[in-house]
């Protein structure tokens, strides 16, 4: 099957499993359940579950427990976007082509829907203990990676440095740290969990962490580039949201050309490291190229 067809099939499968694992919208929690559904089912590229599922397959995984973790990582990613859009943070009215959660449901429900998605991610992932009890050690390790990479020394930590340094001038080391944590940590978690649940050993998991870290850097620098040169969603018009939010970016620090070279360097490293892993890495390599050279 050609790459694009396979990709669409995988995305459809992810959409279905997200819907399947979300609670039914009913009862006394109807409002928050609706806000969670609104946030999670708003589309999005689904790159974290895609990377997780493919890494799982690469290391020979064949079970269904990965689906619970694929849903969990997308729930955590979505919570971070819902909170990032709040008035106290970026104060954005639109996300993924529609009104943000706090605009539709109010700021209170925006906060709670984000909290609920974060918690529900763990409620979902821990169902894997019932599904494959004999895999409890791998599941425990995967949960540790998920919580650490999303936490104060991972994604949240990156957001903290980012928020604290907004409007300040920062150097490249600090910017790299923000990218590594804010964007990289969840991408690392996605691929590491795929490897862990498939039974990869520690050396292989470390290698995957490194590959994912390069993907995360390339992905975020490309995000900065798209903010300046425009993307397909805004019909070629730049968003310039980084400029509006007074953010230091790769472009403001190094310029467009060097930023493009950095994207190239990180993606090449990721792809070369992927090639050194035994197994069929073709789809993953295509996926990495597509993510890094995306236009939205
Ligand atoms: C609020 C705890 C907390 C964290 C927020 C992820 C994040 C940290 C903020 C979102 C803003 C942003 C641009 C983060 C960098 C990572 C990134 C490029 C997120 C967007 O991810 P995509 O492109 O989004 O995968 P879709 O909508 O496709 O899922």
């Amino acid at each position: 099957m050609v790459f694009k067809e396979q990709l669409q099939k995988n995305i459809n499968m992810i959409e279905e499993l997200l819907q399947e694992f979300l609670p039914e919208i009913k009862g006394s929690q109807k409002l928050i359940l609706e806000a969670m559904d609104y946030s999670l089912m708003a589309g999005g590229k689904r790159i974290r579950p895609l990377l997780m599922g493919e890494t799982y397959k690469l290391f020979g995984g064949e079970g269904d427990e990965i689906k619970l973790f694929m849903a969990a990582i997308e729930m955590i990613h979505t919570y971070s976007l819902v909170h990032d859009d709040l008035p106290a943070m970026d104060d954005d009215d639109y996300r993924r082509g529609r009104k943000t959660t706090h605009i539709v449901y109010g700021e209170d429900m925006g906060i709670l829907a984000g909290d609920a998605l974060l918690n529900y991610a763990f409620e979902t992932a821990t169902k894997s203990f019932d599904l494959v009890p004999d895999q409890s050690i791998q599941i425990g390790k995967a949960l540790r990676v998920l919580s650490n990479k999303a936490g104060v020394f991972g994604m949240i930590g990156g957001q903290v440095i980012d928020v604290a340094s907004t409007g300040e001038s920062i150097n490249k080391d600090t910017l790299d740290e923000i990218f590594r944590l804010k964007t990289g940590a969840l991408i690392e978690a996605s691929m590491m969990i795929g490897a862990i649940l498939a039974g990869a050993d520690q050396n292989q998991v470390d290698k995957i962490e490194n590959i994912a870290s390069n993907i995360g850097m390339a992905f975020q620098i490309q995000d900065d580039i798209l903010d300046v040169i425009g993307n397909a969603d805004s019909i070629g018009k730049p968003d310039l949201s980084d400029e509006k939010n007074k953010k230091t970016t790769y472009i403001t620090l190094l310029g467009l050309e060097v930023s493009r070279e950095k994207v190239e360097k990180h993606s090449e490293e990721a792809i070369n490291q992927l090639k050194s892993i035994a197994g069929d890495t073709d789809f993953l390599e295509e996926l990495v190229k597509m993510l890094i050279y995306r236009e939205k």
Side-chain angles (χ1 to χ4, degrees), residues 133-192:
D134 58 326
Q135 303 284 314
S136 291
I137 293 188
Q138 272 100 326
I139 294 169
K141 284 184 182 169
L143 285 168
R144 181 162 69 186
V145 168
L146 189 62
S147 49
N148 286 353
K149 294 283 183 187
V152 74
F153 299 111
M155 180 186 72
I156 294 177
Q159 178 78 347
V160 169
I161 307 172
D162 192 13
V163 167
S165 59
T166 299
E168 310 275 322
S169 78
I170 54 170
N171 61 27
K172 182 171 168 296
D173 285 350
T174 306
L175 191 60
D176 280 347
E177 193 183 10
I178 293 173
F179 286 9
R180 188 176 57 77
L181 296 175
K182 189 175 93 162
T183 310
L186 273 204
I187 293 179
E188 287 163 19
S190 306
M191 295 185 73
M192 289 167 77

Side-chain angles (χ1 to χ4, degrees), residues 42-48 74 76-86 89-90 92 95-96 150 155-160 162-163 179 181-184 186-187 219-220 223-224 242 247 291 294 296:
K45 296 180 286 300
R46 312 305 195 192
I47 66 163
R48 293 154 192 83
E74 191 65 16
I76 293 181
H77 165 61
T78 302
Y79 117 75
S80 81
L81 300 180
V82 170
H83 279 188
D84 190 62
D85 291 333
L86 286 168
M89 300 238 191
D90 271 3
D92 277 321
R95 159 86 58 190
R96 293 169 164 172
M155 180 186 72
I156 294 177
Q159 178 78 347
V160 169
D162 192 13
V163 167
F179 286 9
L181 296 175
K182 189 175 93 162
T183 310
L186 273 204
I187 293 179
F219 184 78
Q220 181 57 56
D223 202 65
D224 280 6
D242 292 331
K247 289 215 163 140
L291 295 177
R294 73 196 186 282
K296 66 175 191 172

